Amino acid sequence: MELLIREKLKMKKWLKNVSFMILLLKSCILLGQEFDAKKIIVIDPGHGGNDLGAIGVNQTEEKTITLQISRLISELAEKNHDQTVEIYQTRYSDTLISLRDRARMAIALNADLYLSLHCNHSDNPNARGVEVYVSSQRSKFLDESTWLAFQLQADLNEKLGFESRGVKFANFQVLRETTDFMPSVLLELGFLSNKDESHYISGYENLKHIALAILSLLKIP
């Protein structure tokens, strides 16, 4: 009888250890998945193809600037072997993609973030600075989108000296169609109608600084 009790106690202890090891193994797997998970970011270079967008005072085309910045963001992440983000672009060349297809791509990728890149234009040649837009409709991602928008304009002001024109709410199609699925913002990067900003945005080294500032912020959980 005493032998039987000892055997039962041994079995109980063994099962307890096995259960603990299984629980530990599951935790390791889950943690590994969490560490391996990448933040999927979709960068949308505005315009493209026969849609030139705004034209700068130095004949710079908005479609070219937005594509260059998008490429630089992707290249910087790849060059630094960044394991925290996975970046996709809605276009990789000078092609025109419909607004609906841009949004659909982000949704199909189950993106964690959608950023539409643009440059501004005004009849007032003195207008300058960055504007960031979020959707004007309510969604569960609105607060996160608004926070990101404020951070973008603050960072571009602090790091690169761009004036902040504030965060605004609009019914742009790409925002309207993505806001229910992920945080999404539309960034207007300075005025091509402003002589100083048009020349600044046209410089390749300056574009690298802009891309790095944007990438640094997008990586924040």
Side-chain angles (χ1 to χ4, degrees), residues 143-185:
D143 288 344
E144 195 173 344
S145 299
T146 305
W147 178 88
L148 174 63
F150 274 106
Q151 288 299 116
L152 271 172
Q153 51 114 31
D155 269 27
L156 290 170
N157 170 261
E158 181 182 342
K159 295 177 179 178
L160 302 177
F162 279 101
E163 291 184 16
S164 300
R165 296 174 62 89
V167 174
K168 302 181 180 182
F169 297 87
N171 194 34
F172 295 135
Q173 184 174 347
V174 289
L175 296 179
R176 184 174 68 245
E177 295 189 1
T178 54
T179 191
D180 286 332
F181 300 90
M182 69 204 72
S184 57
V185 299

Side-chain angles (χ1 to χ4, degrees), residues 5-202:
I5 292 173
R6 283 203 302 269
E7 289 299 322
K8 283 184 177 181
L9 287 173
K10 285 182 181 179
M11 179 63 71
K12 195 172 183 180
K13 186 177 180 181
W14 181 81
L15 288 172
K16 185 177 180 181
N17 289 336
V18 169
S19 299
F20 174 77
M21 290 304 296
I22 291 173
L23 179 61
L24 182 62
L25 181 60
K26 285 183 177 179
S27 298
C28 290
I29 292 172
L30 289 173
L31 284 171
Q33 290 174 343
E34 184 177 334
F35 287 133
D36 289 341
K38 291 184 178 182
K39 185 176 184 180
I40 297 176
I41 299 173
V42 172
I43 307 291
D44 176 22
H47 307 282
N50 58 11
D51 179 7
L52 309 182
I55 305 295
V57 293
N58 56 352
Q59 300 307 305
T60 301
E61 297 173 350
E62 180 181 4
K63 67 169 186 175
T64 303
I65 297 297
T66 58
L67 182 58
Q68 286 179 320
I69 295 174
S70 297
R71 284 174 174 169
L72 284 167
I73 293 173
S74 298
E75 288 171 7
L76 283 168
E78 185 176 347
K79 181 180 179 181
N80 295 329
H81 304 289
D82 199 319
Q83 299 299 311
T84 63
V85 294
E86 189 166 353
I87 296 176
Y88 295 88
Q89 296 174 208
T90 57
R91 65 183 182 94
Y92 289 85
S93 60
D94 184 18
T95 55
L96 181 60
I97 310 296
S98 73
L99 297 178
R100 175 163 291 183
D101 284 343
R102 295 170 193 251
R104 282 177 173 173
M105 176 183 173
I107 295 168
L109 287 168
N110 195 26
D112 297 295
L113 177 65
Y114 173 86
L115 173 63
S116 184
L117 290 178
H118 291 264
C119 297
N120 226 329
H121 190 279
S122 173
D123 292 333
N124 177 7
N126 295 317
R128 62 192 303 123
V130 296
E131 295 175 339
V132 192
Y133 288 86
V134 297
S135 175
S136 56
Q137 69 184 51
R138 293 293 306 175
S139 78
K140 65 179 182 179
F141 295 107
L142 181 58
D143 288 344
E144 195 173 344
S145 299
T146 305
W147 178 88
L148 174 63
F150 274 106
Q151 288 299 116
L152 271 172
Q153 51 114 31
D155 269 27
L156 290 170
N157 170 261
E158 181 182 342
K159 295 177 179 178
L160 302 177
F162 279 101
E163 291 184 16
S164 300
R165 296 174 62 89
V167 174
K168 302 181 180 182
F169 297 87
N171 194 34
F172 295 135
Q173 184 174 347
V174 289
L175 296 179
R176 184 174 68 245
E177 295 189 1
T178 54
T179 191
D180 286 332
F181 300 90
M182 69 204 72
S184 57
V185 299
L186 185 148
L187 173 61
E188 291 277 7
L189 264 172
F191 284 77
L192 293 181
S193 50
N194 180 288
K195 183 178 179 180
D196 292 336
E197 291 195 340
S198 183
H199 282 289
Y200 181 86
I201 296 173
S202 303

